Amino acid sequence: MQIRFLGAAGEVTGSQHLCEGTVAGEARRFLVDCGLFQGGRDAREKNERPFTFDPASLDFVVLTHAHLDHSGLLPRLCAAGFSGPIYTTPATRELLKILLPDSAHLQQADRERAERRQAKGRWRGELPEVLYGQEEVQACLAQVRTFDYGLTFQPVPGILMRFHDAGHILGSAIAAIDVAVDQVSPPKTRRLVFSGDLGHAGCPLTPPPELVASADVLVIESTYGDRLHKTMDQTRDELVEVVGHTLRHGGNIVIPAFAVGRTQEVLLLLAQLVREKRLPHLNVFIDSPMATAVTQLTAHFRDALEEDAQEMLAWHEAHPEALRLKLVSDVEESKALNQIRGGAIIVSASGMCEGGRVLHHLVNNLPYRQNAVIITGFQAHGTTGRMLVEKARTVRLFGQEVPVNASVHTLGGLSAHADQGGLLAWLKGFAAAPGQVFVVHGEPEASARLAEVMHERLGWKHVALPERGVAYPC
Ligand SMILES: [Zn+2]
């Protein structure tokens, strides 16, 4: 077998791992994840590049979870000739039905915006390509096949696989793939384990990532391989401080949040703090159609949540007045929020402030000192969110420089990703060192640091930082 990392190698987005080899006498080829590159100018160029392999030659695709940096190029893969099954979990399929149509819609909107600017002579260079439309999305969704956690299934003869709960977002999975390799005699099974994105054990919404006891080859994410999150208690204290202070001074609070996971986590924390009487009754607006849909879906899959989260949901249903939740659907309602001068908590996407309705809320709220922005997630290089975190004095939104006078706070404890301690705790679940470890899905410093600590603390010797496009025997 060999594996080529075609994305998320030396960077955080664009997960795409190609595995190839002879299995049970047949040449086999499968892909694990097929995600969009996100953030920065070269992301667009990478997304628009043709696949470096023939999509029609894939036997199947494995999808670890629904986030677009893992799933967002799937419709393009199918349109380019891949007609086989896409294996994932049932909750992931439901999330894909929300995320992929939205992704197609955003691409179309970006294109149209660029065309309008080009017509006014205000666009230089190539127009952004629409990678796929709604038809391609529907065709792709029809190829999805689902299996619950813990079930073993056989995608092709000689390969058995199973999903474990990764605790990252609803439906997120670690994929354990047992491959009967032919080249050795007698044929031997090699277990490839792809961590996908691993959840944060302190996350109030999802359970901690399930441990896996053995792997011959391990591919592990390293988003936060070089740091430790603040504790959940610190995070709660900070939230009380910022929300309490801002509301007392008549300001609004804008919380850019990923529609999937983070929005629901923020809601859960706020409701908890109101229940504990650490915050007054709140007016919360969820201004993102996608976040609204996912919030409803999360309630539907509530059995998959942490027990405390299930209990909080029941409490909120009994006490809706404690946290008056307004799910904003149409654009007019969204615009009406611009008139609110204080007292509102607006949770909106996109989480990295790279598009979506949150941009309007930033334009309206950033210039005023009494307001606050709470950053709740990872912000990739080159994104507006990252600039806010790095205390930019102005940010460019809709072609204008917007002064940043509102206070900007970063809540470190709310990550959907395990930190270095969490990654190590998960790695300790292996009974023995995997024969080969590949560290992916991190900025170079984060991946390198995780590789170092695996060496220092676990004594694991075969840890590599793969380069994009290079074939590694495994
Ligand atoms: Zn993810």
Side-chain angles (χ1 to χ4, degrees), residues 41-377:
R41 282 204 165 267
D42 68 335
R44 178 182 296 160
E45 183 262 318
K46 288 180 190 164
N47 288 327
E48 290 176 0
R49 267 192 314 226
F51 289 101
T52 53
F53 55 91
D54 176 11
S57 70
L58 292 174
D59 291 290
F60 60 94
V61 171
V62 180
L63 175 63
T64 60
H65 65 288
H67 275 152
L68 288 176
D69 65 319
H70 294 256
S71 70
L73 281 181
L74 282 171
R76 192 159 190 256
L77 185 78
C78 298
F82 169 62
S83 59
I86 299 166
Y87 294 109
T88 194
T89 63
T92 298
R93 170 160 66 185
E94 295 311 306
L95 285 171
L96 288 179
K97 289 181 189 168
I98 299 168
L99 285 169
L100 291 178
D102 186 71
S103 170
H105 171 76
L106 286 179
Q107 291 169 37
Q108 185 65 35
D110 278 352
R111 170 81 186 195
E112 286 167 10
R113 194 176 310 122
E115 282 172 351
R116 283 196 299 273
R117 295 187 65 186
Q118 191 185 45
K120 291 181 193 157
R122 300 213 319 261
W123 185 272
R124 273 184 236 117
E126 299 281 307
L127 289 170
E129 206 177 291
V130 175
L131 299 167
Y132 45 83
Q134 301 300 346
E135 260 178 54
E136 283 86 2
V137 167
Q138 293 311 318
C140 167
L141 288 171
Q143 289 173 233
V144 175
R145 304 282 175 271
T146 65
F147 288 92
D148 277 315
Y149 300 125
L151 294 178
T152 302
F153 59 99
Q154 180 179 267
V156 293
I159 298 184
L160 289 174
M161 65 171 291
R162 180 195 285 241
F163 293 126
H164 300 272
D165 192 345
H168 169 62
I169 56 165
L170 204 62
S172 65
I174 298 157
I177 308 174
D178 291 334
V179 181
V181 184
D182 281 353
Q183 288 93 333
V184 286
S185 180
K188 195 181 138 204
T189 299
R190 286 180 73 68
R191 171 168 291 178
L192 316 183
V193 173
F194 291 84
S195 74
D197 287 358
L198 291 172
H200 175 200
C203 169
L205 198 63
T206 48
E210 221 180 296
L211 301 180
V212 178
S214 74
D216 296 296
V217 178
L218 170 64
V219 178
I220 184 167
E221 70 122 325
S222 57
T223 316
Y224 288 112
D226 59 346
R227 54 199 117 146
L228 297 174
H229 296 324
K230 293 178 190 168
T231 66
M232 220 34 169
D233 284 343
Q234 277 176 303
T235 302
R236 288 196 182 92
D237 292 348
E238 281 173 11
L239 202 54
V240 168
E241 169 83 31
V242 179
V243 172
H245 179 270
T246 308
L247 293 180
R248 276 194 302 278
H249 291 81
N252 288 326
I253 297 140
V254 178
I255 308 184
F258 304 112
V260 183
R262 187 54 33 82
T263 295
Q264 295 75 35
E265 206 181 335
V266 167
L267 282 177
L268 194 67
L269 277 179
L270 288 172
Q272 242 165 20
L273 293 169
V274 175
R275 186 186 189 181
E276 291 165 7
K277 301 201 164 29
R278 297 182 66 192
L279 284 176
H281 285 194
L282 300 174
N283 289 309
V284 181
F285 299 85
I286 302 290
D287 188 18
S288 151
M290 202 200 313
T292 296
V294 177
T295 303
Q296 285 157 348
L297 193 66
T298 306
H300 175 78
F301 279 99
R302 68 173 67 190
D303 293 353
L305 304 179
E306 264 293 82
E307 265 175 40
D308 286 357
Q310 297 184 29
E311 209 245 321
M312 270 309 299
L313 264 176
W315 178 82
H316 184 244
E317 279 161 6
H319 303 87
E321 75 291 347
L323 187 146
R324 278 181 299 273
L325 188 59
K326 177 86 177 108
L327 303 173
V328 179
S329 48
D330 65 47
V331 178
E332 290 314 308
E333 272 185 292
S334 172
K335 286 184 182 156
L337 296 183
N338 296 343
Q339 308 308 319
I340 302 179
R341 281 286 148 244
I345 299 178
I346 302 168
V347 186
S348 187
S350 75
M352 295 194 203
C353 312
E354 281 297 279
R357 291 182 182 176
V358 76
L359 298 187
H360 293 281
H361 301 306
L362 291 175
V363 168
N364 281 295
N365 288 284
L366 280 176
Y368 307 104
R369 270 176 209 293
Q370 72 270 28
N371 298 329
V373 175
I374 303 181
I375 299 287
T376 59

